[in-house]
Amino acid sequence: MTIDFAEILLARQRISASVLRTPQREARALSARLGVPVQLKCEHHQTTGSFKLRGATNAVLSLTRAQRDAGVVAASTGNHGRALAHAAAAAGTKAVICMSRLVPDNKVQAIEALGAEIRIVGNSQDDAQVEVDRLASEAGMTPVPPFDHAAVIAGQGTLGLEMLEDAPHTTTVLVPLSGGGLLAGVALALRTLKPAIRIIGVTMENGAAMQASLAAGAPVMVEEVPTLADSLGGGIGLANQYTFSMVRDLVDEVVLVSEVEIAQAMRAAYFEEGEVLEGAAAVGIAALDAGKVTLAGPAVVLLSGKNIDMKLHRRIMAGENPDLAAEARHD
């Protein structure tokens, strides 16, 4: 299954009053190192600190009155839960967010602060999804999946419109990849408006579910393990309807980066660009600085979120070994 480009255009109209059009600017140090212009799409400046607000808002505003009255429920590694809690509160709708024990405490607390009910279930997003399915079946709540949902994908796709409007000569775009909602939506927008553009998904080596699924030719289960890019954790769902096929058909390449490369990119973003990024948001910079992507022309790197525990951020900025990420969750 896929969605139509028209749904992205409609999503932009629907969410325009509820989300920010985030800035896009040149990364001067990175551009100088690579010898080509590189711009940063600063979606980590979004209201809830990540791109997820676009998809969650579009999904909530697309619901019927009966669906909103029933309340919304979702599994999340943190940022989708925060975005859905925010969108639900704005719409006067109850939200229940189900998360695994691997979700950092700072993200759990931020969601609670928005008034959502929290359910901590198991050690993976797949475990949390079991509770979502139960609440939908037994309590009649309305599920709003974090990525494999037409309205969510369309909302994320509005980023692709903005990126090309602000940099029409772009030849390559690098986008963080997890379940694929962000990449699928952005890729559809970009491929429709500029068919020859090069689209690269970037994810971490530890538990790259979409990459494993693409290699297998179908969705597969992957063990969820600790990573600095915790927002990219979780599976894509064995019954995946949209994102697997869209990423497969629209994206040119998927690149994997290591924990060390992610940490180095977070430091580069902070010390060179003055930007605080969570690990998931730094993977595009990591791929470029590690030489895993070669650019022949202007590029845009999507910075997807900033919702990192600042204790962990300080440790990474101080040069601490990133393989201590699992321990850092429990500081």
Side-chain angles (χ1 to χ4, degrees), residues 9-300:
L9 299 178
L10 180 59
R12 175 151 73 171
Q13 295 177 1
R14 188 180 286 128
I15 70 176
S16 61
S18 304
V19 305
L20 301 178
R21 182 184 178 118
T22 49
Q24 187 164 300
R25 64 175 185 80
E26 184 181 3
R28 293 184 179 180
L30 188 58
S31 298
R33 279 199 299 280
L34 299 176
V36 295
V38 178
Q39 291 198 359
L40 304 175
K41 176 56 171 173
C42 298
E43 186 63 9
H44 60 302
H45 293 182
Q46 190 54 256
T47 303
T48 57
S50 89
F51 73 94
K52 291 284 192 176
L53 186 61
R54 294 173 184 259
T57 299
N58 191 47
V60 169
L61 294 181
S62 300
L63 298 177
T64 65
R65 171 50 59 187
Q67 289 172 322
R68 291 190 206 179
D69 289 345
V72 293
V73 60
S76 174
T77 54
N79 285 335
H80 176 64
R82 189 169 182 169
L84 185 59
H86 185 283
T93 302
K94 176 184 177 181
V96 176
I97 309 300
C98 304
M99 295 178 285
S100 83
R101 295 184 184 91
L102 291 180
V103 176
D105 289 342
N106 69 296
K107 293 190 174 182
V108 176
Q109 293 163 4
I111 295 169
E112 285 181 318
L114 290 169
E117 180 183 339
I118 303 294
R119 303 278 179 97
I120 304 297
V121 183
N123 294 309
S124 72
Q125 189 159 343
D126 291 325
D127 291 340
Q129 183 62 42
V130 173
E131 179 67 3
V132 173
D133 295 341
R134 188 189 70 79
L135 288 171
S137 174
E138 297 179 9
M141 298 193 74
T142 304
V144 180
F147 54 87
D148 197 35
H149 184 281
V152 169
I153 295 168
Q156 321 305 25
T158 61
L159 272 163
L161 305 178
E162 295 178 14
M163 293 161 77
L164 270 189
E165 287 168 353
D166 290 346
H169 300 299
T170 299
T171 60
T172 301
V173 172
L174 291 88
V175 180
L177 171 61
S178 177
L182 173 62
L183 182 55
V186 169
L188 176 59
L190 296 176
R191 194 66 74 201
T192 301
L193 296 172
K194 193 170 185 178
I197 198 166
R198 183 183 178 205
I199 304 170
I200 298 176
V202 190
T203 192
M204 71 290 181
E205 293 176 351
N206 290 354
M210 181 63 81
Q211 172 65 358
S213 298
L214 292 170
V220 296
M221 297 284 287
V222 173
E223 181 184 3
E224 190 172 342
V225 296
T227 170
L228 279 177
D230 55 83
S231 295
L232 302 184
I236 70 166
L238 295 181
N240 188 286
Q241 298 183 72
Y242 294 96
T243 62
F244 173 77
S245 59
M246 291 180 71
V247 170
R248 180 195 63 202
D249 296 344
L250 296 171
V251 175
D252 294 294
E253 184 181 359
V254 173
V255 172
L256 305 183
V257 291
S258 70
E259 297 299 297
V260 169
E261 290 162 348
I262 294 170
Q264 290 171 339
M266 292 168 67
R267 294 184 194 111
Y270 185 70
F271 290 113
E272 296 178 354
E273 305 296 339
E275 301 290 353
V276 173
L277 299 181
E278 58 184 279
V283 294
I285 296 174
L288 291 174
D289 267 340
K292 295 183 174 180
V293 175
T294 301
L295 300 178
V300 177

